[in-house]
Amino acid sequence: MVASGNSHPSKKALAAMAMNRRRLLALGGLTATAGTLAACGSNTGRDDGGDGINLSQWYHQYGEAGTQQAVEKYAAAYEDANVTINWVPGDYDTALSSGLLAGEGEAPDVFESHLNRSMVESGQVVALDDLYEGVLDDFTDDDLARNTIDGKLYGIRMIDDPQFLYYRPSMFEAKGITPPATFDDLMAAASELTTSDVKGLFLGNDDSATKLFQPIIFSAGQSLLTEDNQIGFDKDTVIAGALQVKELHEAGSLLIGAPTEAWDPTSIIQELCAIQWCGLWAMPQITEAHGEDLAIIPFPGFAGGSPTVFNGGWSAFVNAKSAHVEEAKAFTKWLWIDNEEYIQDWCLSYGFHIPPRLSMRASADALADGPAAEAVRISEEYGWADNPNWTPTMETAVDDMMTNIVLEGNDPEGEFDNAVSTIQTELDSIFG
């Protein structure tokens, strides 16, 4: 499930567009700042207008056909309140930030997002621990951790979206290439597969600079932040990885300026690239285009490290300033914990996503074999998730560092020190 993408920016614009839309929302939080509310489409999902409690539920605009109609169907089926769907195109995070500041009747009661400490400290969300009673062990540790701040659960996972490298085995076999096991292997394969018509690898239109910081550190067994909220990565690892990314950037094997961003499978479908980093959501489209000539691998490890898989996705939250908090919590529990039929429908009928509930993913026939089953396996073996204490300021610091090293050729040690200084200042301001 995806939203609209961005056009290819200039180098000077890269810092401002450091993450594609999906990573921006996955890694960033929503601060209580004013913004221009994006145009929104709404539908109650009911024919009779209903009586009693009125709730508003917000979604970003998913890309797969039928998704808006699906959430309207879910809303119409709920009998204990009249639920209006607000389907937000474009810049969802800005629209939601503005919406959460709006008055009663305009602000969302329930909304999808990604937990950030600022959401808790500014009083935007309520704790939902009580909704997990009896099912806590049916969620993955990662999905619980990404929705937890200071021991309290604030979100309920809706979908898990692992991201990995898609490729066509026939193209590898024609060149005598085996699936890359290391980042060096990936660089070599991308070079070998590049022709006058096809680029070897597509990682995104930001030229890969900002996207690979986290695979570098997680491959080395490090992390963004430690359990006690200290910086979890070291200079040698980051600089060595950044210089490898710079080498990849300069090799001429990356697809740049693709028609759509990497979250969209158009590039590999139209054979603009041989390998593409994309999410599980795109598997049905790629399978339709290439049939059984399709395989996936985790992102290969750096410098002898382990492969990595970013497990993205979305979670549901309840607005703490809603006039109907308890009713909003009841609806959220009904839809995202109790309703197996709708959870499976949402995850598997419009694109492929892994149901967050372990019992539900185990019973999902669509994920039982082939590349889809491999996606579940590698996401569980190599996956890593967002840290809700990692703030947008921290992410911007490392994105600027990678852009300046990889694209601008700046001194790696100086750029690392600048990023660490910014992150430490942020940590000090939050945790004292």
Side-chain angles (χ1 to χ4, degrees), residues 98-329:
S98 298
L100 289 169
L101 292 174
E104 184 178 345
E106 298 180 5
D109 299 287
V110 180
F111 60 93
E112 64 174 8
S113 188
H114 306 88
L115 183 63
N116 182 282
R117 177 169 285 273
S118 65
M119 297 166 68
V120 176
E121 294 185 345
S122 62
Q124 291 178 336
V125 290
V126 297
L128 303 178
D129 300 76
D130 54 321
L131 304 191
Y132 280 89
E133 184 176 354
V135 299
L136 192 67
D137 291 341
D138 204 25
F139 286 85
T140 69
D141 290 342
D142 277 353
D143 281 346
L144 294 175
R146 74 176 84 211
N147 282 309
T148 299
I149 292 282
D150 296 336
K152 293 184 178 180
L153 280 158
Y154 289 92
I156 297 174
R157 199 66 171 172
M158 299 158 52
I159 53 175
D160 282 335
D161 277 339
Q163 300 175 20
F164 28 68
L165 296 177
Y166 285 93
Y167 70 94
R168 294 173 60 194
S170 63
M171 297 183 72
F172 279 48
E173 292 166 5
K175 294 279 190 177
I177 299 171
T178 57
T182 69
F183 189 74
D184 286 333
D185 292 343
L186 179 63
M187 291 173 59
S191 178
E192 182 70 15
L193 291 163
T194 296
T195 69
S196 59
D197 299 316
V198 179
K199 288 292 187 178
L201 178 62
F202 182 39
L203 300 177
N205 283 327
D206 71 348
D207 208 0
S208 80
T210 61
K211 187 168 289 186
L212 297 184
F213 169 75
Q214 296 191 26
I216 290 169
I217 63 169
F218 282 98
S219 175
Q222 300 177 18
S223 62
L224 298 172
L225 300 172
T226 62
E227 289 186 3
D228 58 351
N229 291 308
Q230 303 298 313
I231 293 173
F233 50 87
D234 63 56
K235 179 182 286 189
D236 289 345
T237 297
V238 171
I239 289 178
L243 291 177
Q244 277 196 292
V245 176
K246 180 176 174 60
E247 184 180 348
L248 172 66
H249 159 69
E250 293 172 348
S253 57
L254 290 174
L255 174 62
I256 307 299
T260 57
E261 254 299 346
W263 51 258
D264 184 288
T266 295
S267 292
I268 195 167
I269 288 173
Q270 295 184 351
E271 301 185 356
L272 303 179
C273 63
I275 309 168
Q276 178 171 338
W277 196 3
C278 196
L280 178 60
W281 60 84
M283 188 172 287
Q285 293 172 267
I286 302 174
T287 301
E288 183 179 358
H290 297 308
E292 295 183 358
D293 188 19
L294 170 66
I296 59 170
I297 56 171
F299 201 90
F302 286 80
S306 299
T308 67
V309 173
F310 171 56
N311 284 329
W314 293 85
S315 297
F317 299 88
V318 172
N319 184 357
K321 297 182 173 125
S322 166
H324 305 290
V325 168
E326 292 306 315
E327 292 86 353
K329 287 174 62 178

Side-chain angles (χ1 to χ4, degrees), residues 291-359:
E292 295 183 358
D293 188 19
L294 170 66
I296 59 170
I297 56 171
F299 201 90
F302 286 80
S306 299
T308 67
V309 173
F310 171 56
N311 284 329
W314 293 85
S315 297
F317 299 88
V318 172
N319 184 357
K321 297 182 173 125
S322 166
H324 305 290
V325 168
E326 292 306 315
E327 292 86 353
K329 287 174 62 178
F331 169 69
T332 302
K333 182 177 186 296
W334 172 83
L335 181 54
W336 297 120
I337 286 185
D338 296 338
N339 203 314
E340 180 172 352
E341 177 187 353
Y342 287 163
I343 293 170
Q344 295 280 41
D345 181 64
W346 184 241
C347 289
L348 297 168
S349 295
Y350 313 98
F352 277 10
H353 313 265
I354 301 176
R357 296 283 296 277
L358 294 170
S359 59

